[in-house]
């Protein structure tokens, strides 16, 4: 309904979150909240809903990372252990070529996924491959052996199975197939 200020809260709420982003519910809730409190005194304005505040924090961290301000991005994410924050931390570590940090965050991101019977998603498989690449780049053969033991069966038949096999098997790291594959995956 359009108020005296020309803002149509009904239309704004109806169109909020109409995209495919899961944050649409947070945006819709924020607009409903704003519409119900728009005549309140400024001191009565409520803080952002939790989901919207989390999305805002992730956007801020992503923007800082895109500006190569990695330390500031990581400070913004400090204390937040949700999946989106872990994915951002992996991306930052990857950009910095900080393989130990990438390994630590990918391990936390995967958790006990090796024991979960639910089929791996494309994102799960990508995380496993990234973990294998990071372990390989740090020459962590014990870690590669462990990851091979945890995920070989889970990746059997997946499009990434051959890449995983090449990355985790004890092969000559100067092998052309290995180098080409590691180079391609490092671009993930």
């Amino acid at each position: 309904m359009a108020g005296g200020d020309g803002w149509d809260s009904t239309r704004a709420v109806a169109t909020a979150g109409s995209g495919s982003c899961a944050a649409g519910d947070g945006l819709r809730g924020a607009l409903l909240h704003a519409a119900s409190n728009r005549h309140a005194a400024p001191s009565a304005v409520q803080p952002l809903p939790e989901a919207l505040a989390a999305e805002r924090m992730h956007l801020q961290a992503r923007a800082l990372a895109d500006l190569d301000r990695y330390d500031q991005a990581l400070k913004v994410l400090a204390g937040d252990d949700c999946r989106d924050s872990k994915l951002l931390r992996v991306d930052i570590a990857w950009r910095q070529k900080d393989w130990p940090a990438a390994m630590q965050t990918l391990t936390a991101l995967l958790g006990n996924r090796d024991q979960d019977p639910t089929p791996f998603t494309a994102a799960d498989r990508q995380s496993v491959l990234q973990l294998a690449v990071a372990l390989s780049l740090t020459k962590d053969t014990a870690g590669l052996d462990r990851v091979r033991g945890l995920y070989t069966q889970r990746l059997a038949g997946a499009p990434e199975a051959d890449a995983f096999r090449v990355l985790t098997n004890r092969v000559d790291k100067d092998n052309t197939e290995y180098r080409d594959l590691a180079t391609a995956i490092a671009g993930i």
Side-chain angles (χ1 to χ4, degrees):
M1 162 152 90
D5 57 4
W7 188 71
D8 185 351
S9 61
T10 305
R11 187 172 60 83
V13 170
T15 59
S18 60
S20 62
C21 182
D25 291 338
L27 178 59
R28 186 177 300 113
L31 286 172
L32 284 170
H33 176 74
S36 66
N37 288 318
R38 67 187 174 118
H39 297 294
S43 62
V45 175
Q46 300 295 317
L48 289 174
E50 189 175 322
L52 193 58
E55 182 184 2
R56 180 181 182 181
M57 178 187 61
H58 295 144
L59 287 172
Q60 180 183 8
R62 171 66 65 198
L64 289 166
D66 287 345
L67 295 170
D68 297 337
R69 294 165 59 184
Y70 303 121
D71 290 340
Q72 289 176 317
L74 291 170
K75 284 181 186 174
V76 169
L77 296 172
D80 185 6
D81 253 357
C82 77
R83 180 172 175 77
D84 288 340
S85 289
K86 289 176 185 173
L87 288 169
L88 280 169
R89 284 188 192 94
V90 168
D91 185 48
I92 290 168
W94 208 262
R95 289 179 189 196
Q96 293 180 300
K97 298 183 182 350
D98 183 352
W99 310 125
M103 291 182 316
Q104 180 181 5
T105 307
L106 285 161
T107 300
L109 184 65
L110 288 164
N112 292 327
R113 194 66 179 94
D114 60 300
Q115 298 171 12
D116 183 349
T118 307
F120 274 11
T121 64
D124 292 332
R125 295 188 309 266
Q126 179 181 351
S127 293
V128 170
L129 281 181
Q130 284 182 303
L131 179 56
V133 168
L135 288 162
S136 179
L137 290 170
T138 59
K139 299 178 180 15
D140 184 346
T141 55
L144 284 168
D145 290 344
R146 182 181 59 79
V147 166
R148 183 176 52 252
L150 290 174
Y151 299 110
T152 297
Q153 292 296 66
R154 296 299 310 269
L155 293 178
E160 300 83 358
D162 287 339
F164 182 74
R165 178 190 51 78
V166 171
L167 286 168
T168 59
N169 282 341
R170 292 183 186 238
V171 296
D172 176 13
K173 303 300 184 198
D174 292 326
N175 177 304
T176 304
E177 179 185 21
Y178 174 83
R179 279 197 326 257
D180 291 347
L181 185 60
T183 301
I185 294 173
I188 291 176

Coordinates of all heavy atoms in Angstrom, one line a residue, residues 116-171:
D116 N 29.0 -39.9 5.8 CA 27.6 -39.6 5.5 C 27.2 -40.4 4.2 O 27.8 -40.2 3.2 CB 27.4 -38.1 5.3 CG 26.0 -37.7 5.1 OD1 25.1 -38.5 4.8 OD2 25.8 -36.5 5.1
P117 N 26.2 -41.2 4.3 CA 25.8 -42.0 3.1 C 25.2 -41.2 2.0 O 25.0 -41.7 0.9 CB 24.8 -43.0 3.6 CG 24.2 -42.4 4.8 CD 25.3 -41.5 5.4
T118 N 24.8 -39.9 2.2 CA 24.2 -39.1 1.2 C 25.2 -38.9 0.1 O 26.4 -38.6 0.3 CB 23.8 -37.7 1.8 OG1 23.0 -37.9 3.0 CG2 23.0 -36.9 0.8
P119 N 24.7 -39.0 -1.2 CA 25.6 -38.8 -2.3 C 26.3 -37.4 -2.2 O 25.7 -36.4 -1.8 CB 24.7 -38.9 -3.5 CG 23.6 -39.7 -3.1 CD 23.4 -39.4 -1.6
F120 N 27.5 -37.4 -2.7 CA 28.3 -36.1 -2.7 C 27.6 -35.2 -3.8 O 27.3 -35.6 -4.8 CB 29.7 -36.3 -3.1 CG 30.6 -36.7 -2.0 CD1 30.2 -37.0 -0.7 CD2 32.0 -36.7 -2.2 CE1 31.0 -37.3 0.3 CE2 32.9 -37.0 -1.1 CZ 32.4 -37.3 0.1
T121 N 27.6 -33.9 -3.4 CA 27.2 -32.9 -4.3 C 28.4 -32.5 -5.2 O 29.5 -32.8 -4.8 CB 26.6 -31.7 -3.6 OG1 27.7 -31.1 -2.9 CG2 25.4 -32.0 -2.7
A122 N 28.2 -31.7 -6.2 CA 29.3 -31.2 -7.0 C 30.2 -30.3 -6.1 O 31.4 -30.4 -6.3 CB 28.7 -30.4 -8.2
A123 N 29.6 -29.6 -5.2 CA 30.4 -28.8 -4.3 C 31.3 -29.6 -3.4 O 32.4 -29.3 -3.1 CB 29.5 -27.8 -3.5
D124 N 30.7 -30.8 -2.9 CA 31.5 -31.7 -2.0 C 32.7 -32.2 -2.8 O 33.8 -32.3 -2.3 CB 30.6 -32.9 -1.6 CG 29.5 -32.5 -0.6 OD1 29.7 -31.5 0.1 OD2 28.5 -33.2 -0.6
R125 N 32.4 -32.6 -4.1 CA 33.5 -33.2 -4.9 C 34.5 -32.2 -5.2 O 35.7 -32.5 -5.2 CB 32.9 -33.8 -6.2 CG 31.9 -35.0 -5.9 CD 31.5 -35.7 -7.2 NE 31.0 -34.9 -8.2 CZ 29.7 -34.6 -8.4 NH1 28.8 -35.2 -7.5 NH2 29.3 -33.9 -9.4
Q126 N 34.1 -30.9 -5.4 CA 35.1 -29.9 -5.7 C 36.0 -29.7 -4.4 O 37.2 -29.5 -4.5 CB 34.4 -28.6 -6.1 CG 35.4 -27.4 -6.3 CD 34.7 -26.1 -6.7 OE1 33.5 -26.1 -6.9 NE2 35.5 -25.1 -6.7
S127 N 35.4 -29.7 -3.3 CA 36.1 -29.5 -2.0 C 37.1 -30.6 -1.8 O 38.2 -30.4 -1.4 CB 35.2 -29.4 -0.8 OG 34.4 -28.3 -0.9
V128 N 36.7 -31.8 -2.1 CA 37.7 -33.0 -2.0 C 38.8 -32.8 -3.0 O 40.0 -33.0 -2.6 CB 36.9 -34.3 -2.2 CG1 37.9 -35.5 -2.3 CG2 35.9 -34.6 -1.1
L129 N 38.5 -32.4 -4.2 CA 39.6 -32.2 -5.2 C 40.5 -31.0 -4.7 O 41.8 -31.1 -4.8 CB 39.0 -31.9 -6.6 CG 38.6 -33.1 -7.4 CD1 38.1 -32.6 -8.7 CD2 39.6 -34.1 -7.5
Q130 N 40.0 -30.0 -4.2 CA 40.8 -28.9 -3.8 C 41.7 -29.3 -2.6 O 42.8 -28.9 -2.5 CB 39.9 -27.7 -3.3 CG 39.3 -26.9 -4.5 CD 38.5 -25.7 -4.0 OE1 37.6 -25.9 -3.3 NE2 38.9 -24.5 -4.5
L131 N 41.1 -30.1 -1.7 CA 41.9 -30.6 -0.6 C 43.1 -31.5 -1.1 O 44.2 -31.3 -0.7 CB 41.0 -31.4 0.4 CG 41.7 -32.1 1.6 CD1 42.4 -31.0 2.4 CD2 40.7 -32.8 2.4
A132 N 42.8 -32.3 -2.1 CA 43.9 -33.1 -2.7 C 44.9 -32.3 -3.3 O 46.1 -32.5 -3.2 CB 43.3 -34.1 -3.7
V133 N 44.5 -31.2 -4.0 CA 45.5 -30.3 -4.7 C 46.3 -29.6 -3.6 O 47.6 -29.6 -3.7 CB 44.8 -29.3 -5.6 CG1 45.8 -28.2 -6.0 CG2 44.2 -29.9 -6.8
A134 N 45.7 -29.1 -2.6 CA 46.5 -28.4 -1.5 C 47.4 -29.4 -0.8 O 48.6 -29.0 -0.6 CB 45.5 -27.8 -0.5
L135 N 47.0 -30.6 -0.6 CA 47.9 -31.6 0.0 C 49.1 -31.9 -0.9 O 50.2 -32.0 -0.5 CB 47.1 -32.9 0.4 CG 46.2 -32.8 1.5 CD1 45.2 -33.9 1.5 CD2 46.9 -32.7 2.9
S136 N 48.8 -32.0 -2.2 CA 49.8 -32.3 -3.1 C 50.8 -31.2 -3.2 O 52.0 -31.4 -3.3 CB 49.1 -32.6 -4.5 OG 50.1 -32.8 -5.5
L137 N 50.3 -29.9 -3.2 CA 51.2 -28.8 -3.4 C 52.1 -28.6 -2.1 O 53.2 -28.0 -2.2 CB 50.4 -27.5 -3.6 CG 49.7 -27.4 -5.0 CD1 48.7 -26.3 -5.1 CD2 50.8 -27.3 -6.1
T138 N 51.7 -29.1 -1.0 CA 52.5 -29.0 0.2 C 53.3 -30.3 0.4 O 54.0 -30.5 1.4 CB 51.7 -28.8 1.5 OG1 50.7 -29.8 1.6 CG2 51.0 -27.4 1.4
K139 N 53.2 -31.2 -0.6 CA 53.9 -32.5 -0.6 C 53.6 -33.3 0.7 O 54.4 -34.0 1.3 CB 55.4 -32.3 -0.7 CG 55.8 -31.6 -2.0 CD 57.3 -31.4 -2.1 CE 57.8 -30.7 -3.4 NZ 56.9 -30.1 -4.3
D140 N 52.3 -33.3 1.1 CA 51.9 -34.0 2.3 C 51.4 -35.4 1.9 O 50.2 -35.6 1.7 CB 50.7 -33.2 3.0 CG 50.3 -33.8 4.3 OD1 50.6 -35.0 4.6 OD2 49.5 -33.1 5.0
T141 N 52.3 -36.3 1.8 CA 52.0 -37.7 1.3 C 51.1 -38.4 2.3 O 50.2 -39.1 1.9 CB 53.2 -38.5 1.0 OG1 54.1 -38.5 2.1 CG2 54.0 -37.9 -0.2
A142 N 51.3 -38.2 3.6 CA 50.5 -38.8 4.6 C 49.0 -38.3 4.5 O 48.1 -39.1 4.6 CB 51.0 -38.6 6.0
G143 N 48.9 -37.0 4.3 CA 47.6 -36.4 4.1 C 46.9 -37.0 2.8 O 45.7 -37.2 2.8
L144 N 47.7 -37.1 1.7 CA 47.1 -37.6 0.5 C 46.7 -39.1 0.7 O 45.6 -39.5 0.2 CB 48.1 -37.5 -0.6 CG 48.3 -36.1 -1.2 CD1 49.6 -36.1 -2.1 CD2 47.1 -35.7 -2.0
D145 N 47.5 -39.8 1.4 CA 47.1 -41.2 1.7 C 45.8 -41.3 2.5 O 44.9 -42.1 2.2 CB 48.2 -42.0 2.5 CG 49.4 -42.2 1.7 OD1 49.3 -42.2 0.4 OD2 50.5 -42.5 2.3
R146 N 45.6 -40.4 3.5 CA 44.4 -40.4 4.3 C 43.2 -40.0 3.5 O 42.2 -40.6 3.5 CB 44.6 -39.4 5.5 CG 43.4 -39.3 6.4 CD 43.6 -38.3 7.5 NE 43.9 -36.9 7.0 CZ 42.9 -36.1 6.6 NH1 41.7 -36.5 6.6 NH2 43.2 -34.9 6.2
V147 N 43.4 -38.9 2.6 CA 42.3 -38.5 1.8 C 41.9 -39.5 0.8 O 40.7 -39.8 0.5 CB 42.6 -37.1 1.1 CG1 41.7 -36.8 0.0 CG2 42.7 -36.0 2.2
R148 N 42.9 -40.2 0.2 CA 42.6 -41.3 -0.7 C 41.8 -42.4 -0.1 O 40.8 -42.9 -0.6 CB 43.9 -41.8 -1.3 CG 43.7 -42.9 -2.4 CD 44.9 -43.5 -3.0 NE 45.9 -43.9 -2.0 CZ 47.1 -43.2 -1.8 NH1 47.4 -42.1 -2.4 NH2 47.9 -43.7 -0.9
G149 N 42.1 -42.7 1.2 CA 41.4 -43.7 1.9 C 40.0 -43.3 2.2 O 39.1 -44.1 2.2
L150 N 39.8 -42.0 2.6 CA 38.5 -41.6 2.9 C 37.5 -41.4 1.7 O 36.3 -41.7 1.9 CB 38.6 -40.2 3.6 CG 39.2 -40.2 5.0 CD1 39.4 -38.7 5.5 CD2 38.4 -40.9 6.0
Y151 N 38.0 -41.0 0.6 CA 37.1 -40.5 -0.5 C 37.2 -41.3 -1.8 O 36.3 -41.1 -2.6 CB 37.4 -39.0 -0.8 CG 37.1 -38.2 0.4 CD1 38.2 -37.5 1.1 CD2 35.8 -38.0 0.9 CE1 37.9 -36.7 2.2 CE2 35.6 -37.2 2.0 CZ 36.6 -36.5 2.6 OH 36.4 -35.7 3.7
T152 N 38.1 -42.3 -1.9 CA 38.1 -43.0 -3.2 C 36.8 -43.7 -3.5 O 36.3 -43.5 -4.6 CB 39.3 -44.0 -3.2 OG1 40.5 -43.3 -3.1 CG2 39.3 -44.9 -4.5
Q153 N 36.3 -44.4 -2.6 CA 35.0 -45.1 -2.8 C 33.8 -44.1 -3.0 O 33.0 -44.4 -3.8 CB 34.7 -46.0 -1.6 CG 35.6 -47.2 -1.5 CD 35.5 -48.1 -2.7 OE1 35.8 -47.7 -3.8 NE2 35.0 -49.3 -2.5
R154 N 33.9 -43.0 -2.3 CA 32.8 -42.0 -2.4 C 32.8 -41.3 -3.8 O 31.7 -40.9 -4.2 CB 32.9 -41.0 -1.3 CG 32.7 -41.5 0.1 CD 31.3 -42.1 0.4 NE 30.2 -41.4 0.0 CZ 29.6 -40.5 0.7 NH1 30.0 -40.3 2.0 NH2 28.5 -39.8 0.3
L155 N 34.0 -41.2 -4.4 CA 34.1 -40.6 -5.7 C 34.0 -41.5 -6.9 O 34.0 -41.1 -8.0 CB 35.3 -39.7 -5.8 CG 35.4 -38.5 -4.8 CD1 36.7 -37.8 -5.0 CD2 34.3 -37.6 -5.1
A156 N 34.0 -42.9 -6.6 CA 33.9 -43.9 -7.6 C 32.7 -43.6 -8.5 O 31.6 -43.4 -8.1 CB 33.8 -45.3 -7.1
G157 N 33.0 -43.5 -9.8 CA 31.9 -43.2 -10.8 C 31.6 -41.8 -11.0 O 30.8 -41.4 -11.9
A158 N 32.1 -40.9 -10.2 CA 31.9 -39.4 -10.3 C 32.7 -38.9 -11.4 O 33.8 -39.5 -11.7 CB 32.2 -38.7 -9.0
P159 N 32.3 -37.8 -12.0 CA 33.2 -37.2 -13.1 C 34.6 -36.8 -12.6 O 35.5 -36.8 -13.4 CB 32.4 -35.9 -13.5 CG 31.0 -36.1 -12.9 CD 31.1 -37.1 -11.8
E160 N 34.8 -36.6 -11.4 CA 36.1 -36.2 -10.8 C 36.9 -37.4 -10.4 O 38.0 -37.2 -9.9 CB 35.9 -35.3 -9.6 CG 35.1 -34.0 -9.9 CD 33.6 -34.1 -9.9 OE1 33.1 -35.2 -9.7 OE2 33.0 -33.1 -10.1
A161 N 36.4 -38.6 -10.5 CA 37.1 -39.8 -10.0 C 38.6 -39.9 -10.6 O 39.5 -40.2 -9.9 CB 36.3 -41.1 -10.3
D162 N 38.7 -39.7 -11.9 CA 40.0 -39.9 -12.5 C 41.0 -38.8 -12.0 O 42.2 -39.1 -11.7 CB 40.0 -39.8 -14.0 CG 39.4 -41.1 -14.6 OD1 39.4 -42.1 -13.9 OD2 38.9 -41.1 -15.8
A163 N 40.5 -37.6 -11.9 CA 41.3 -36.5 -11.4 C 41.8 -36.8 -10.0 O 42.9 -36.6 -9.6 CB 40.6 -35.2 -11.5
F164 N 40.8 -37.3 -9.2 CA 41.2 -37.6 -7.8 C 42.2 -38.7 -7.7 O 43.2 -38.6 -6.9 CB 39.9 -38.0 -7.0 CG 40.1 -38.3 -5.6 CD1 40.3 -37.3 -4.7 CD2 40.1 -39.6 -5.1 CE1 40.5 -37.6 -3.3 CE2 40.3 -39.9 -3.8 CZ 40.5 -38.9 -2.9
R165 N 42.0 -39.7 -8.6 CA 43.0 -40.8 -8.6 C 44.4 -40.3 -8.9 O 45.4 -40.6 -8.3 CB 42.6 -41.9 -9.6 CG 43.5 -43.0 -9.8 CD 43.2 -43.9 -10.9 NE 43.0 -43.2 -12.2 CZ 44.0 -42.8 -13.0 NH1 45.2 -42.9 -12.6 NH2 43.7 -42.1 -14.1
V166 N 44.5 -39.5 -10.0 CA 45.8 -39.0 -10.4 C 46.4 -38.1 -9.3 O 47.6 -38.2 -9.0 CB 45.7 -38.2 -11.7 CG1 47.0 -37.4 -12.0 CG2 45.3 -39.1 -12.8
L167 N 45.6 -37.3 -8.6 CA 46.1 -36.4 -7.6 C 46.6 -37.2 -6.3 O 47.5 -36.8 -5.7 CB 45.1 -35.4 -7.2 CG 44.8 -34.2 -8.1 CD1 43.6 -33.5 -7.8 CD2 46.0 -33.3 -8.2
T168 N 45.9 -38.2 -6.0 CA 46.2 -38.9 -4.7 C 47.0 -40.1 -4.8 O 47.6 -40.5 -3.7 CB 44.8 -39.2 -4.0 OG1 44.1 -40.1 -4.8 CG2 44.0 -38.0 -3.6
N169 N 47.2 -40.7 -5.9 CA 48.1 -41.8 -6.1 C 49.5 -41.4 -6.0 O 49.9 -40.3 -6.5 CB 47.8 -42.6 -7.3 CG 46.5 -43.5 -7.2 OD1 46.1 -43.8 -6.1 ND2 46.0 -43.9 -8.4
R170 N 50.3 -42.3 -5.5 CA 51.7 -42.0 -5.5 C 52.3 -42.2 -6.9 O 52.5 -43.3 -7.3 CB 52.4 -42.9 -4.5 CG 52.0 -42.6 -3.0 CD 52.8 -43.5 -2.1 NE 52.3 -43.3 -0.8 CZ 53.0 -42.9 0.2 NH1 54.3 -42.7 0.1 NH2 52.5 -42.7 1.4
V171 N 52.5 -41.1 -7.5 CA 53.0 -41.1 -8.9 C 54.1 -40.1 -9.0 O 54.3 -39.3 -8.1 CB 51.9 -40.7 -9.9 CG1 50.8 -41.7 -9.9 CG2 51.4 -39.3 -9.7

